[in-house]
Amino acid sequence: MNTSARQFKEQATLLTQDLRHRQLIQTAIGKYEVVRDRVRSRYQDWNAARQAAAEIKWEAVNHLDEHLTRFATQLEARGAKVHWASTGAQAREIITNLLREKQARSIIKSKAMTSEEIHLNAALEQAGFEVVESDLGEFIVQLRKEPPYHIVFPAMHLTRHQISELFTRELGSAPTADPEELTLIARRVLRQKYVRADVGFTGANFAIAETGMISITENEGNARLTAALPQVMVTLLGIEKILPRLEDLALFLPMLATVGAGQGLTCYNSFYGGPRRPGEPDGPEEYHVVLLDNRRTELLADAEQRDSLHCIRCGGCLNVCPIYRNVGGHSYGTTYSGPVGSVITPHLRGLLEWKHLSYASSLCGACTDICPVKIDLHHHLLQNRRNASASKPSRLERLAFKVFAYVINRPGCYALVKKVGRMAQRLHPLVKGSRLDPAYAWTKTRDLPPIAKQTFKEYWSSRK
Amino acid sequence: MTEREKILGRIREALSVAAPRPGGAHAESTPAAASVMAQSSTPRSWLPKVGEGYAERLELFRQQSSDLKTELRVVASTGGFRDELRRLRESDGWKKIGAHAGTLVKGAIADLGLPVCWTDSGYKVEELENCDAGITECDALVAQTGSVLITSRSAGGRALSVLPPHHVVLARRSQLLADLPEAFALIRQRYGTDYPSFISFVTGPSRTGDIERILVLGAHGPRKLTILLSEE
């Protein structure tokens, strides 16, 4: 077992036993589920909307070269600068050089999973810049020096008491158990950072090819301030964020809000198409957009799983996943957790190192059902299992299937095995849960249902 | 070869193998989206329903506003804006406001008797931040979602509507649209040849649920959103 797999297993084992943690997650997701279902029930035809969204993303991703070119051309026509980065290292270098060139000192950031993906904060801090996350949840996890727990709700795993202690320790504020008070503390601290920041950094939820705009979905207003106050604005986004037309947002914005947060529309959905225009009173003088590949083109090359690039990062599949809800976001050890993270991480970071995530699933298909762009998530997990075992077959597994095939093809032999199995099961309690048990890995936490006293065939022939 | 060419090259190579259409084996028979999205009537039949006529739209907008904790005040004419602003000045103890030189805004704040930070030709961030409210016009209101559509051109820039703790929107009856497809059609019709650098749908006052999923208003943006709608 490799390091990532071992860590996943250890963390998952710890957290599934942590009842307090599970309770916290169940409560948070429980609240979300109620509002999500209420908002979704208002749609006249949710499934038709999903199918249309899937087809629009299909069109975008399957003509990605044309749309990206158009996006860049349109943005540049309005005075923005578009940068292209094949790897995370290149993106970090582009951004660091830009900040140096601008003689920037402090950077205010609004939430961007792509920046987590390329570990941007660490690189910028190492280069001597002050980087402050402005989304409340991201601000909290940044103070705790840990990655976001969830792609939409970064601090879902923390109680208000933990956050109060954190603020007291890191910001010197008085302890309080009032979420409103805590929010105010963060607001006050961050306002000062906004006024001083030289550069505003954002991610993007969508990139509109036709008009050359990025779209940011948020609730707090931190991204709006990030895009309004500093003199330089930088946006980092994955190349798959493309939508062909501006009107597509009439569908994607409400669907993202519905599945992502249980809202009809989030508080602010803002489109930015360049630096301040002539006649406009504010906004950055310079606007830079960094387009990131970072092995997305490898995922694109896998036609079978290409639709996983349709993902709009709503986090819906995390919320419904029985595995995520029990092992939590940090156990995965990946930027993108939950079902979609388990599907794409092996492509982005190496199949053999991350194939264990393909088994972090009950294959119940809840992820596929909730996905607003109809990504066939649970089948992709199976395909990753198949691909992993084809590239590095397990000898034990092969042997097991050979034995199984031998037995099942010989009715007499199969009947005998059943009889022996039934007798052996009576002796099983003697070794169950101990190392002597040949099925220890399975039986240490599970019961095997008793084999029926009579097979169906035996019952059928005896019933006359 | 530039990185741009390398990335586009990798994309083209990857796309040389076709991917199955979405929905897979269980695909429902829906016409191709490209043709569907061209006419804005189809997404309309999937999204939440909006009634016909002004009265029904207003009722829905009122309901949405109440759910979102937006304060909606309907006044008989644009003259009513003045009374409402005076009321807010008194109840909230306004000392200073931010505004832009729109026709509705200028008329509404003329006799308010408060110092004004005008954003139209640049302003000091500290000054705008110390305003008690930002008063703006808008491009449209959207009944379906309870949203206000603003742009850097219609609402005095990017910050006026988000930096002060209270955002007050002035709107007319004719600006109340049914749904998002209609709002996007308006954006294209009004700005299609020259888009403002900032366009935003504002849906309720700023909020967060990042601490135990408990709703808190006024995370970074305004804690209060007031919409004054003139029926004139």
Side-chain angles (χ1 to χ4, degrees), chain A residues 44 86 220 224 247 280, chain B residues 3 47 161 188 197 206 220:
Chain A
Q44 296 172 77
S86 287
E220 298 182 2
R224 283 192 59 193
E247 283 80 358
E280 290 180 352
Chain B
E3 285 312 310
L47 292 171
S161 49
R188 185 178 292 278
S197 73
S206 158
H220 282 280

Side-chain angles (χ1 to χ4, degrees), chain A residues 290-333:
Chain A
V290 184
L291 289 167
L292 178 71
D293 177 351
N294 210 19
R295 299 179 81 170
R296 283 166 174 76
T297 43
E298 285 182 32
L299 190 45
L300 192 72
D302 183 343
E304 193 176 46
Q305 294 190 41
R306 189 175 294 161
D307 69 349
S308 51
L309 287 171
H310 296 185
C311 177
I312 58 172
R313 305 280 187 263
C314 67
C317 60
L318 282 61
N319 302 333
V320 297
C321 178
I323 307 302
Y324 183 93
R325 291 165 72 131
N326 285 296
V327 308
H330 285 153
S331 299
Y332 290 81

Side-chain angles (χ1 to χ4, degrees), chain B residues 73-221:
Chain B
R73 309 279 292 195
V74 181
V75 294
S77 70
T78 51
F81 290 158
R82 295 175 177 215
D83 305 327
E84 287 298 327
L85 289 181
R86 268 198 296 273
R87 183 185 60 82
L88 287 169
R89 180 193 64 193
E90 293 313 310
S91 64
D92 293 13
W94 287 355
K95 301 263 184 317
K96 184 171 185 167
I97 55 168
H100 66 102
T103 322
L104 287 182
V105 174
K106 279 197 289 186
I109 65 171
D111 59 353
L112 203 56
L114 289 176
V116 179
C117 170
W118 298 97
T119 60
D120 305 86
S121 43
Y123 57 89
K124 275 204 182 105
V125 171
E126 291 81 0
E127 194 188 345
L128 185 61
E129 209 204 344
N130 285 321
C131 290
D132 297 300
I135 299 170
T136 77
E137 294 175 6
C138 66
D139 290 272
L141 304 177
V142 185
Q144 187 173 53
T145 53
S147 310
V148 184
L149 172 62
I150 57 170
T151 66
S152 39
R153 259 173 245 170
S154 66
R158 296 189 185 192
L160 176 59
S161 49
V162 74
L163 197 58
H166 189 168
H167 178 200
V168 182
V169 180
L170 309 181
R172 291 172 188 276
R173 175 191 170 116
S174 59
Q175 290 184 305
L176 179 60
L177 305 180
D179 53 17
L180 287 170
E182 205 173 316
F184 277 94
L186 176 89
I187 296 174
R188 185 178 292 278
Q189 177 223 325
R190 184 167 294 171
Y191 300 114
T193 51
D194 178 24
Y195 287 102
S197 73
F198 163 74
I199 302 172
S200 189
F201 286 91
V202 175
T203 311
S206 158
R207 63 196 57 216
T208 184
D210 273 348
I211 302 175
E212 294 188 21
R213 307 290 308 132
I214 296 164
L215 176 71
V216 175
L217 296 182
H220 282 280

